């Protein structure tokens, strides 16, 4: 065959197009490889980037639906896993078709970032009543301060899901298996975290994690909805801005107490699960624990709170976790305030501020938000209006009260 000039040009063009196509597929394959099941690096420990405290769902269930739950990460990593809980379930929980993806807003995800999550190599997992499950590692580039959607299909009716009562944001559900879809036709919102207990990462630069253990203030009560404006979120931003790689976890439960079970298990009874068992935990901030114990207080309340705090410190130190003790913010003017409760608060705060208390550091939340002219009350600038919970400015003041120097580097 005789090659003409035009024939040579045609062949050259085809070769060039094939070369471009080859490059495109290599890029696609490379991108896809970032989302495949991976082997965990045995030399890099897991660190939690997000977690929540599980509670009894008390009858809140689902009917063969896809749940798309959104978490705000504190640190990033190259390998990710999720933790599921059926702690309060009365029957086995089957979860299938689990995917991670970048959340774009209002329940929509970027499908190009979809990553399939498996459990023991299987597409689904059945978690026994009272049990938990941890996924296989997934190679996935997760940024710090990002919005990650965890979509999971429930192929069987769930009568009562283990949950965290208030997500302080919208989560999303829709009928059927829609776990990989960018948007969810027929989407409906719900306002808790159901069976999703934690998200962990592997990051070679991670310095550990700090758990904020508290009640409604730590839970983010009445901070901006969908805004990630709780004080622990703001603390995570401060740490990131300072070049630190510290996971910041929210173990607050609205209405929770230090001493008594009620709305969730008491801090004493959930310390192991919500703090000491968290991957990479290095510090715990004992925050607004005790505020709810002051309701119905008597003259012994302050001493009992101090005794409870001592137990938390001893048990945390036994697990080699450093304890940052927080003073209790004021609450005069709030429903449930009493002179006996105020006396108990002062007894507790005096102990926290006393040398030799056993704490590894002190976070003086009280001093950060109280009214200087009337220190039993919130500064009006920070008061949400009920004289117990902060507004957004108050959340910033609480986050600012945490000295970043308390998070000593391992090498320093």
């Amino acid at each position: 065959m005789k090659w003409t000039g035009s024939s040579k040009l045609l062949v050259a063009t085809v070769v060039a197009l094939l070369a471009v196509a080859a490059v495109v597929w290599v890029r696609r394959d490379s991108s896809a490889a970032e989302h495949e099941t991976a082997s965990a690096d045995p030399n890099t420990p897991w660190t939690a980037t997000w977690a929540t405290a599980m509670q009894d769902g008390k009858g809140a269930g689902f009917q063969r639906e896809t749940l798309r739950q959104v978490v705000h990460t504190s640190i990033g990593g190259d390998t990710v896993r999720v933790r599921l809980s059926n702690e309060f379930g009365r029957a086995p929980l089957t979860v299938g078709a689990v995917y991670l993806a970048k959340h774009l807003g209002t329940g929509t995800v970027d499908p190009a970032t979809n990553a399939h999550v498996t459990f023991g190599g299987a597409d689904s997992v059945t978690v026994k009543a009272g049990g938990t499950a941890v996924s296989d590692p997934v190679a996935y580039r997760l940024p710090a301060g990002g919005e990650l959607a965890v979509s999971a299909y429930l192929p069987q009716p769930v009568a009562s899901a283990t949950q965290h009562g208030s997500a302080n944001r919208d989560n999303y559900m829709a009928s059927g298996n829609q776990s990989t879809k960018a948007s969810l036709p027929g989407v409906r919102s719900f306002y808790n975290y159901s069976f999703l207990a934690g998200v962990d990462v592997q990051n070679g630069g991670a310095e550990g994690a700090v758990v904020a253990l508290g009640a409604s203030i730590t839970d983010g009560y009445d901070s901006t909805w969908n805004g990630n404006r709780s004080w622990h979120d703001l603390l995570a931003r401060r740490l990131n801005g300072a070049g630190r790689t510290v996971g910041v976890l929210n173990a607050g439960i609205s209405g929770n107490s230090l001493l008594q079970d009620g709305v969730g298990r008491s801090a004493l009874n959930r310390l192991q699960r919500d703090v000491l068992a968290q991957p990479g935990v290095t510090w715990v901030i004992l925050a607004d624990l005790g505020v709810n114990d002051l309701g119905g207080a008597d003259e012994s309340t302050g001493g009992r709170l101090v005794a409870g705090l001592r137990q938390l410190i001893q048990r945390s130190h036994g697990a080699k976790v450093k304890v940052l003790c927080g003073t209790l913010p004021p609450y005069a003017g709030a429903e449930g305030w009493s002179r006996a409760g105020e006396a108990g608060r002062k007894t507790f705060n005096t102990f926290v501020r006393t040398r030799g208390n056993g704490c590894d550091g002190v976070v003086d939340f009280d001093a950060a938000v109280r009214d200087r002219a009337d220190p039993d009350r919130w500064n009006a600038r920070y008061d949400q209006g009920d004289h117990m919970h902060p507004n957004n400015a108050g959340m910033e003041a609480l986050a600012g009260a945490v000295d970043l120097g308390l998070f000593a580097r391992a090498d320093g």
Side-chain angles (χ1 to χ4, degrees):
M1 178 177 178
K2 183 177 181 181
W3 294 91
T4 64
S6 57
S7 299
K8 291 178 181 178
L9 178 60
L10 176 61
V11 171
T13 300
V14 170
V15 170
L17 289 173
L18 289 172
V20 170
V23 171
V24 171
W25 280 109
V26 167
R27 287 176 179 168
R28 285 177 179 170
D29 288 344
S30 175
S31 175
E34 295 173 6
H35 301 161
E36 292 174 356
T37 299
S39 297
D41 182 350
N43 298 315
T44 304
W46 288 99
T47 304
T49 182
W50 175 90
T52 193
M54 292 281 95
Q55 301 168 254
D56 190 340
K58 296 183 177 179
F62 303 95
Q63 295 292 327
R64 295 186 178 90
E65 291 163 312
T66 296
L67 275 59
R68 180 163 288 170
Q69 302 183 80
V70 183
V71 306
H72 190 72
T73 63
S74 56
I75 62 172
D78 293 325
T79 309
V80 181
R81 70 182 185 186
V82 300
R83 290 179 278 127
L84 308 180
S85 174
N86 193 26
E87 180 179 356
F88 299 99
R90 297 161 184 81
L93 169 71
T94 298
V95 181
V98 180
Y99 284 83
L100 308 177
K102 179 181 179 180
H103 183 235
L104 301 178
T106 62
T108 300
V109 301
D110 178 0
T113 66
N114 272 341
H116 187 202
V117 180
T118 59
F119 297 82
D123 291 342
S124 67
V125 63
T126 297
V127 188
K128 68 180 182 180
T132 59
V134 180
S135 78
D136 299 325
V138 181
Y140 190 88
R141 292 181 182 176
L142 184 67
E147 295 277 286
L148 177 71
V150 181
S151 301
Y153 173 54
L154 301 175
Q156 301 171 4
V158 177
S160 182
T162 295
Q163 63 174 229
H164 179 75
S166 175
N168 205 42
R169 70 173 309 135
D170 292 303
N171 284 318
Y172 307 91
M173 60 182 173
S175 298
N177 185 0
Q178 303 189 46
S179 52
T180 61
K181 291 187 177 179
S183 58
L184 303 175
V187 67
R188 308 181 306 282
S189 296
F190 68 105
Y191 311 112
N192 58 58
Y193 283 112
S194 290
F195 63 80
L196 180 62
V199 177
D200 309 326
V201 297
Q202 284 191 319
N203 182 324
E207 304 169 58
V210 55
V211 180
L213 182 65
S216 54
I217 294 174
T218 298
D219 205 12
Y221 174 80
D222 216 31
S223 60
T224 299
W225 197 257
N226 291 323
N228 305 308
R229 297 283 302 178
S230 179
W231 69 262
H232 83 278
D233 287 307
L234 302 175
L235 174 61
R237 293 175 198 173
R238 288 185 62 212
L239 285 162
N240 286 336
R244 305 295 300 275
T245 308
V246 176
V248 182
L249 314 179
N250 182 358
I253 295 178
S254 295
N256 195 235
S257 297
L258 169 57
L259 303 175
Q260 300 294 327
D261 290 349
V263 183
R265 292 173 176 166
S266 71
L268 287 172
N269 288 335
R270 64 189 182 93
L271 177 72
Q272 178 62 38
R273 180 197 69 186
D274 290 342
V275 177
L276 306 184
Q278 293 293 341
V281 62
T282 307
W283 308 270
V284 58
I285 300 177
L286 304 178
D288 50 325
L289 291 168
V291 170
N292 292 312
D293 298 82
L294 298 175
D298 58 32
E299 62 182 11
S300 72
T301 300
R304 289 188 291 109
L305 287 175
V306 169
L309 178 61
R310 287 183 183 274
Q311 287 188 53
L312 292 177
I313 293 170
Q314 182 181 28
R315 290 169 58 194
S316 297
H317 284 170
K320 302 188 183 306
V321 174
K322 294 183 178 180
V323 181
L324 310 180
C325 300
T327 55
L328 296 178
Y331 78 117
E335 183 180 354
W337 182 90
S338 68
R339 293 186 183 278
E342 185 61 39
R345 187 179 76 91
K346 285 185 168 61
T347 296
F348 182 89
N349 285 354
T350 297
F351 174 78
V352 169
R353 295 183 177 118
T354 301
R355 291 191 177 209
N357 55 20
C359 305
D360 298 291
V362 172
V363 181
D364 203 339
F365 292 124
D366 173 47
V369 299
R370 68 191 178 196
D371 186 337
R372 293 184 181 180
D374 189 357
D376 293 347
R377 293 178 177 270
W378 279 78
N379 183 326
R381 177 186 173 194
Y382 302 137
D383 189 354
Q384 174 258 14
D386 64 1
H387 313 301
M388 181 176 283
H389 298 97
N391 56 22
N392 282 346
M395 287 293 187
E396 291 178 3
L398 294 172
V402 183
D403 179 1
L404 299 190
L406 295 171
F407 304 103
R409 295 179 186 270
D411 58 2

